[in-house]
Amino acid sequence: MNLLRKLLFPFAILYGLITSIRNFLYDKGVFKSYPFSLPIIAVGNLSVGGTGKTPQIEYLIRLLSNKYKIATLSRGYKRQSKGFILAEAGTNAKNIGDEPFQFFQKYPSIRVAVDADRKNGIEQLLSLHEKPDVILLDDAFQHRKVKAGFYILLTSYGDLYSDDFILPTGNLRENRNGAERANVIIVTKCPFNLSLDEQNKIKNRLKVGAHQELYFTFIAYDEFVYGENRKINVKEFQVAAKVLVAGIAKPEPFFTYLQNTNDVCLSFSDHHNFTEKDISEIKNLAQNNIIITTEKDYVRLKGSLPDEQLFYLPIQSSFVSGSENFDKTIIDYVGKSTRNGKSD
């Protein structure tokens, strides 16, 4: 695969040129970006693959939902529907996608919507009888038709955008200088004890601008796994045989946290749609043992596997340091934008 990617280098140059021209035309106003009269926070990345957007969106929901009416707007990747859909009773992961459905189930007080056309999606949300106070755009850093008021750019500790290259030779969706649009850059999936010296080295590698704030986060795993009717402390089954199932971009940390020598680990592609064959394989491997999956996969596997066997492990995004400063930055932006009736 590495050799093939190197052979595709001319296509990467062409793709990079096309995305750079597109960004230039948006920057100069030739292509129009549409602002809206409420705070909009866009969370995204420069690369394809998992950088932890879902736990970061959930962090913002928990931070803001006690004071503001929150709506999330996602594309709804791999959903079996089109156009704008607002989650309501009867909605499932097939209608809106696994991650939006996860938001819908975990945070009943917020509105959850999907639309590949983010501009139309925002307009639909603003036409509701109860309009949101804040909209969180999921995976929308490159969706420049909408001018968000605040941009959060994520990059993984083990796969920094500064060390990557444009598709298809690398994994970048656009040139690295696109990072300049970010108000905040978060390096995700760090070691929880990342030293200040290494933080400074990463800051230099990313070339963080004077107008930007930089933070480092790690994935915090729950002490319990949760099923339909019960929860179990992770320590209770660490030595027991089990089947671990993950359909996420980078499942290794999930497996490492739970796995012992008796376990079977099944890895599928990100946002994998589990087939009858997949379900049969999981059941045969599990027999009477428990099955633990990610929270995102759980919403797609629930109903296909026995409730008494199926559990999921929640995760949260936690800051290595500086969480108070990050919270203040977000709260100040939302508060200012709400008072002014506009997103800068």
Side-chain angles (χ1 to χ4, degrees), residues 279-323:
I279 299 300
S280 179
E281 180 186 8
I282 295 169
K283 287 180 178 178
N284 288 336
L285 289 170
Q287 296 298 316
N288 295 319
N289 296 323
I290 67 170
I291 303 161
I292 305 176
T293 189
T294 69
E295 195 167 7
K296 185 170 73 172
D297 293 311
Y298 181 80
V299 301
R300 284 178 281 119
L301 288 169
K302 184 180 177 183
S304 298
L305 293 168
D307 284 344
E308 65 272 14
Q309 286 181 263
L310 184 62
F311 294 82
Y312 67 89
L313 175 68
I315 63 173
Q316 286 190 7
S317 177
S318 296
F319 284 77
V320 174
S321 62
S323 59

Side-chain angles (χ1 to χ4, degrees), residues 22 41-54 56-57 60 72-78 99-100 103 113 115-118 136-144 146 148 151-154 173-174 181 270-271 296:
R22 176 180 179 269
I41 302 174
V43 177
N45 49 27
L46 295 185
S47 64
V48 296
T51 54
K53 292 183 294 295
T54 300
Q56 186 58 52
I57 290 285
L60 294 171
T72 65
L73 179 61
S74 311
R75 176 177 51 164
Y77 185 63
K78 284 196 174 181
E99 290 161 341
F103 300 151
D115 197 336
D117 183 344
R118 304 303 206 288
L136 306 178
L137 295 184
D138 180 20
D139 196 13
F141 199 78
Q142 284 78 36
H143 200 91
R144 302 208 54 192
V146 168
Y151 288 90
I152 298 175
L153 177 65
L154 309 182
R173 298 169 173 176
E174 60 172 301
R181 299 197 302 274
D270 198 14
H271 301 277
K296 185 170 73 172

